[in-house]
Every structure is written in structure tokens, then in C-alpha cells.
Amino acid sequence: MENMPALAQTAALTGADIAELRAGFPYFAANDQRDEPAAYLDSAATSQRPARVLDAERRFLETANAAVHRGTSGAVGEATAAFEGARAAVARFVGAATPEQIVWAENATDALNLVALGIGEANAGLGVAGSERYRLEPGDEILVTEAEHHANLIPWQRLAAKTGAALKYIPAREDGTWTLDDAREALTDRTRIFAFGHVSNVTGLVAPVAELVELARAAGAITVLDACQSVPHIPVDFGALGVDFAAFSGHKMLGPNGIGVLYGRAEMLDALPPSRTGGSAITKVTMESALFMPAPQRFEPGTQPVSQVVGLCAAVAYLEDIGMERVAAREHELVERLVAGIAETPGLRLLGPADTTQRVALAAVSVDGVHAHDVGQYLDDQGVLVRVGHHCAQPLHRALGITSSTRASVHVTTTEDEVDRFLDALRGAQRYFGAEVSA
Ligand code: PMP
């Protein structure tokens, strides 16, 4: 393991392990030396990168930079090998049977759009062999949940508008959650697509993906999983879960930004038309038409973000070296601490499940009597870095009867002290704004 502390592979991560991991992140190493270090609790928005990832990107750019899949030079061959090797590594990491099931995209948003736009193309008569399976008729249904991030909502709204399909949703319950039974009720024999989040970026709720996929398949629906907040935090095996498509982003999993992933079951990707076209993705072009390569190259026109792919590969190796089970176990402890601290503070409303076994990596609250932006300002003054606002989930906030919330999110490098500083700062904000509630 390069630049990696010698962690025991099976035991739970200790405080000393976390300190060692943090020392390997330039951001935390510098931060932790300051007189007033910040508490970084915003990994759900974007995570920090270990030196190992930054070094891999830099080394590639300094020694091996070239456009991939173009030309015949040895440099191109080396860059292409790194690019395709990363595809194989990411495939293994998320349980894809073959590297061809991994498509590089800009981020999760882009990956989700590749699916929705591709289905739109199939319905506009621009399909490839097998695209009939994506046919949507007026009266067909696209099902989402009210808890979706806008990235897994708006592309489906637009696909529905283009095709005449109806966009339906599973309503959020009072605490922002939804259940397998709710999905069972909402799926009909007209449901063609069921798009849902694996882990909510507001409530932290983990969806029972395998069971949902089974229900969807029985109804004849394609499944699209927004795995943006799951892949960075818990072991995920898309093959075992059975989803047709899944999307996630590099920058939330200790990797670079500018790189995201679309996973697809082989037969689904093969039948999906490209929605962005241009150089490199084709086999034959005439002045009238173009023939496209098979997946994944069909979806990767233009010069590719190779250093980002190399960085993502390093992030995957880093997480694998720690072990995703241990990452999940460590983060679970932190979430338990967060939720317990919120529960024992009167005047704080926890969004999402109080049962921490149903929650991953984050907790958002609404502070009675104080606007989230005021809370955010106060927390910022205390050096507690969180996200305030609607977190790109306006419909969910509306359903909860609020416009915004304050979210703390953790990663494997987060410390107990950071969590406690968040909780103390929330209580401080209550006092500062005169919103303290006695028990
Ligand atoms: N889905 C969820 C659940 C998210 O949390 C995010 C990022 N906030 C996205 C999708 C979009 O990710 P990106 O901005 O990296 O495309």
C-alpha cells in the first residue's frame, strides 16, 4: 500500500487509525495544525482527497498525459492502459461483471441524464439495436420518490414531457422516509421506469434496493439507482442488487471532481442510444449518418478526463485498502453520535429515520425558530463547515413543511470531536438566536 498507514485489515478503525488517515489528507493535515481548525462536516457535498489521489493525478499529468484511444504512440498506449485499468478497478469495486458496464460521465447528474436522455432518443426514433425496450407510450408511468435529489427528478420530468408518459412519485412520510410497502403500492403494470436514491442526501435513509428491484422487475419496470451517497460510504454490489442502471460521482468518494460513473447491466447499456455524440464514439461516419461503437465507448465522445479517471482509480484503491465494511462501521458510529446528540437537544427536529440502522453518513436538522441560513452563518463563525439550504431536494423539504435544513455529513476521516463541535454549535445557535428550548 502506497502512502497508506499500516491499518489492521480486520479490526475496527481506532482513533489512532483515523488520526493517521487524516495526516494523509493535505487538507486535514494543514487544517489540524491551525490554531482554530475547522470541523469539516460536508463530505456529502464534496469530500476531501488523500495525497494518494492527488499524487496519482499529478503523476499521471507530469509523466503520462495523453489523449486516450487516439493515435498510435506509446504515450497514448500508456494513458489508455491507465484509463481502461481504472474502468476495470471501478467495475470490481461496485460489483459490475465486466469493465464494459462502466461508463465515464462528468458526475452523477450527467450519468443520470445519460439514461434519461438516451431513452428520449430511443423514443425520438434515434435508437440503436434493441432500443425498442425503451419505448414509452402515453399512459406509461415513470416512478420516482418525493425524496429525490433534483438530479434524479428533473431528467425524468423532461423525459415524461417528451414522451407523454406520466411522472408519478412515492410521497414522503412525515419524517421524509418511504418504505417498500409504499413502493409496492405505487408500482403499477404501467410503470416502465423506477428511479430512486440508494441513500437520501437529506434524510440519510437507505433504500432496500434488492427488494425494490424485485418489485420493479415483477411490474416490468427498469430500475435506475442514484448511488451518489451510498458508494462512498457502504459496500455496494450493483450486480447483486440487480439494478439496471446506477450513477455516482468521484468527488464524493475521496476522488476528483469532473468524473462520474454510469453503471449499466450489459444488455441495457447495449440497447441505450447515445445522447451526446461526436468523435471517438463511432465506427463509421458518412455525411448523412453515423454508426456507434458498443458500450461504453458509445457514451464517451470527445477527449476524455483521463487524469480524473486515474484519480478515481486511486480513490477506489484507497477505500479498498481500508475496506468498505470498516468505512461503513466507522461512519455508523459517527452517525449514532450525531443522531443521539440531536435527539437529546430539545428544539431540534431530525429529518429522516431516528433508527440509525436505516441511516448512512449524514443527519440534517431543522432548528425550531431559527432559519437554516442563520444557523449556517453561526456554525460558520464557529468553524463548523456544513451545508444549509434545500440540498437540491426542494420537493422533499416542501413535504416536510420547511424550506431548508442544516446537514452534517461524515466520511471515514471525520472525528468524534468534529461531530461534538457541530452539536455544540447547534446549541450555541439556539442560544444566540433566543430559540433555546428547555427540556
Ligand atoms: N444525487 C444525490 C443523492 C446527491 O447527493 C448528489 C450531490 N449532492 C447528486 C445526486 C448529484 O451529484 P453531482 O453534483 O456530483 O452530479
Side-chain angles (χ1 to χ4, degrees):
M1 275 189 276
E2 187 188 358
N3 281 345
M4 193 71 185
L7 308 174
Q9 285 304 293
T10 48
L13 292 168
T14 63
D17 291 333
I18 303 305
E20 245 189 296
L21 289 178
R22 276 177 85 88
F25 281 63
Y27 179 95
F28 295 125
N31 175 70
D32 294 354
Q33 294 301 316
R34 288 201 193 104
D35 291 342
E36 294 181 12
Y40 188 76
L41 292 162
D42 204 13
S43 291
T46 205
S47 55
Q48 301 301 338
R49 296 176 219 175
R52 184 163 158 190
V53 168
L54 296 164
D55 289 348
E57 289 177 70
R58 186 179 182 88
R59 202 176 319 117
F60 173 80
L61 289 169
E62 286 178 348
T63 64
N65 189 33
V68 296
H69 291 303
R70 289 174 180 198
T72 53
S73 70
V76 167
E78 197 181 324
T80 303
F83 187 73
E84 294 304 329
R87 199 190 301 276
V90 170
R92 276 194 308 275
F93 186 63
V94 295
T98 68
E100 288 71 35
Q101 290 176 263
I102 299 297
V103 174
W104 302 126
E106 284 176 27
N107 47 35
T109 303
D110 186 44
L112 291 163
N113 272 286
L114 279 177
V115 183
L117 292 172
I119 296 176
E121 296 291 87
N123 281 276
L126 295 168
V128 293
S131 283
E132 312 74 55
R133 69 188 316 148
Y134 293 117
R135 186 91 207 124
L136 290 170
E137 307 286 347
D140 283 344
E141 295 168 4
I142 301 171
L143 182 65
V144 296
T145 84
E146 204 174 9
E148 294 316 305
H149 188 283
H150 297 164
N152 199 28
L153 170 60
I154 302 170
W156 306 116
Q157 292 175 342
R158 295 179 70 83
L159 179 63
K162 277 192 246 179
T163 58
L167 185 75
K168 299 272 170 107
Y169 64 88
I170 299 170
R173 294 176 174 225
E174 214 176 319
D175 62 354
T177 63
W178 57 281
T179 68
L180 195 57
D181 280 342
D182 298 338
R184 194 175 284 117
E185 219 167 279
L187 282 157
T188 74
D189 60 4
R190 296 304 302 266
T191 312
R192 293 285 167 268
I193 300 168
F194 180 24
F196 59 96
H198 194 171
V199 169
S200 161
N201 66 317
V202 178
T203 64
L205 178 74
V206 195
V209 180
E211 291 87 342
L212 289 162
V213 167
E214 209 173 298
L215 284 181
R217 203 166 277 161
I222 294 164
T223 45
V224 183
L225 187 69
D226 175 355
C228 224
Q229 298 291 356
S230 58
V231 167
H233 304 290
I234 56 177
V236 175
D237 184 329
F238 293 135
L241 293 173
V243 286
D244 291 310
F245 293 105
F248 56 98
S249 284
H251 70 95
K252 295 184 199 283
M253 51 189 290
L254 318 183
N257 37 19
I259 186 68
V261 174
L262 172 65
Y263 159 91
R265 284 208 303 121
E267 65 189 82
M268 302 305 287
L269 273 180
D270 283 343
L272 187 71
S275 46
R276 299 172 309 183
T277 57
S280 295
I282 47 74
T283 54
K284 184 174 180 192
V285 180
T286 66
M287 287 312 292
E288 290 76 33
S289 66
L291 287 177
F292 297 101
M293 290 178 80
Q297 277 78 22
R298 178 194 299 164
F299 302 104
E300 296 172 3
T303 307
Q304 292 296 296
V306 192
S307 64
Q308 289 92 326
V309 165
V310 167
L312 177 59
C313 185
V316 162
Y318 183 91
L319 289 168
E320 279 176 333
D321 283 348
I322 301 174
M324 287 308 292
E325 295 283 356
R326 292 204 301 168
V327 170
R330 165 66 187 161
E331 294 188 14
H332 183 69
E333 287 173 2
L334 295 166
V335 164
E336 282 189 319
R337 194 176 185 97
L338 258 178
V339 169
I342 291 165
E344 71 186 35
T345 309
L348 297 184
R349 174 184 173 196
L350 175 70
L351 312 185
D355 172 1
T356 53
T357 63
Q358 291 184 44
R359 180 186 280 274
V360 165
L362 60 89
V365 293
S366 158
V367 182
D368 291 348
V370 190
H371 193 280
H373 286 110
D374 288 336
V375 177
Q377 184 68 59
Y378 182 88
L379 264 56
D380 197 43
D381 289 346
Q382 306 297 311
V384 177
L385 307 182
V386 295
R387 172 94 189 262
V388 293
H390 53 62
H391 320 304
C392 299
Q394 282 186 9
L396 177 59
H397 279 80
R398 208 166 288 123
L400 291 165
I402 51 181
T403 53
S404 52
S405 60
T406 303
R407 180 187 72 189
S409 53
V410 305
H411 215 303
V412 67
T413 48
T414 306
T415 64
E416 277 81 1
D417 180 59
E418 287 179 304
V419 169
D420 293 348
R421 283 182 59 193
F422 168 69
L423 294 167
D424 287 345
L426 278 181
R427 293 167 194 140
Q430 286 179 308
R431 286 192 296 276
Y432 184 82
F433 291 106
E436 202 176 0
V437 181
S438 47

